[in-house]
Structures are given as C-alpha cells and as structure tokens.
Amino acid sequence: MIHVGIGYDVHQLVEGRKLILGGVEIPHTKGLDGHSDADALMHAICDAVLGALGCGDIGQFFPNTDPWWKGAPSKIFLEEAARQAQRQGARIVNIDATLIAQAPKVMLHAAAMKANIAAALGLDVKKVGIKATTNELMGFIGRGEGIAAMAVAGVDRPD
Ligand code: MG
C-alpha cells in the first residue's frame, strides 16, 4: 500500500552563514539560519518521509533545543527517516520536492542535491525529483529574507 507524506520547511537567510541545500554548499551572500545546518530542502523531505510513515515530524526526533544537533549536517535526519522506514518494513518509493528561493539560482546544483538526498535515503537517484521556483519577488521569499522547501514522499508500507 502506497502512503504519501508531505513536508514543508522554511529558514531565514542571514549574513555569516553558509547556504546549504540538499547537502550542497551553494555560493551566496547569505546562508540559512538554524540550529542544524538549516538545510530546508532536506528538512522538508525528512518530514515528508516521516509523515508517510505516520512517525510525527523532524522536531520529535531531533529537538532544536538539543545542543547535540547544533550545526549538524541534515543528511543524518534523512538517514534516520530511512531507518524508521526500514523498521516498519516499508520502502521509500519516491521523493519530489520544490525549492522556493528568489536567489541564488539553485537548479544549477540539482544533480548534486539529488545525489546527496538519494545517498542519505538509500534510494536510486532517479527516484528523487527536485524543482525550483522564485516567488516572483513577492513576500518574504521574494525579498530574499528566507528560502522555503516543499516535499512529498511516496512510501510502500506493509499495513
Ligand atoms: Mg528546518
């Protein structure tokens, strides 16, 4: 039985931080702020997988009040989501995600991001979709104050 999960995340763009999306460090004047490496794309995907598994969300596994996860690379969150799937005897079928960023041009890095996400989830890279859009200069994303990501995951579960 295929179960579908949805994930959404957003982080603020600030000076003095690296911009990391899909595990790729992307050259930019600002980076995403957060407790971990603030990889909004991986966080949204993690929530999509956990959602399909009925496992709650990323904050339940990795509270942002826990100093252990400070500066953590977000691939460990995806690795945990994959472990949860394995524990249920479930198989992640596919991931599809959209990045919403006014700048920089993130699609130049799509292949590298897909490879990192696929590796962290133990998936074939062809099962990972990444798309990007600007916010047409509107709102906080349009003003370059933050970057958001949305994701869905298809998971084949025995129940
Ligand atoms: Mg986040």
Side-chain angles (χ1 to χ4, degrees):
M1 181 75 114
I2 302 291
H3 293 239
V4 175
I6 184 172
Y8 171 81
D9 195 31
V10 62
H11 283 266
Q12 200 177 354
L13 275 169
V14 296
E15 276 166 28
R17 290 268 302 185
K18 289 176 180 169
L19 175 59
I20 296 173
L21 290 168
V24 179
E25 187 178 331
I26 298 175
H28 194 45
T29 53
K30 293 178 175 181
L32 295 176
D33 197 20
H35 187 66
S36 64
D37 64 3
D39 188 329
L41 177 59
M42 282 195 174
H43 295 182
I45 291 169
C46 186
D47 267 358
V49 173
L50 293 175
L53 293 170
C55 278
D57 67 24
I58 190 171
Q60 286 169 244
F61 287 87
F62 306 101
N64 64 7
T65 49
D66 187 338
W68 182 259
W69 308 117
K70 192 160 172 54
S74 293
K75 71 170 188 175
I76 63 172
F77 306 151
L78 290 184
E79 288 164 357
E80 177 59 30
R83 264 195 299 276
Q84 291 297 322
Q86 226 168 18
R87 197 163 296 163
Q88 291 193 18
R91 183 177 60 90
I92 301 168
V93 176
N94 79 307
I95 299 292
D96 193 26
T98 298
L99 271 164
I100 312 161
Q102 196 60 45
K105 293 211 174 298
V106 289
M107 280 306 276
L108 300 171
H109 308 278
M113 292 190 282
K114 280 183 195 182
N116 288 340
I117 291 157
L121 291 172
L123 273 182
D124 190 306
V125 75
K126 291 195 288 287
K127 309 285 179 69
V128 180
I130 295 178
K131 310 173 299 303
T133 181
T134 70
N135 220 36
E136 296 288 346
L137 298 170
M138 295 181 289
F140 72 88
I141 294 173
R143 290 189 296 271
E145 295 167 12
I147 288 176
M150 298 188 291
V152 289
V155 174
D156 193 0
R157 281 171 54 179
D159 57 335

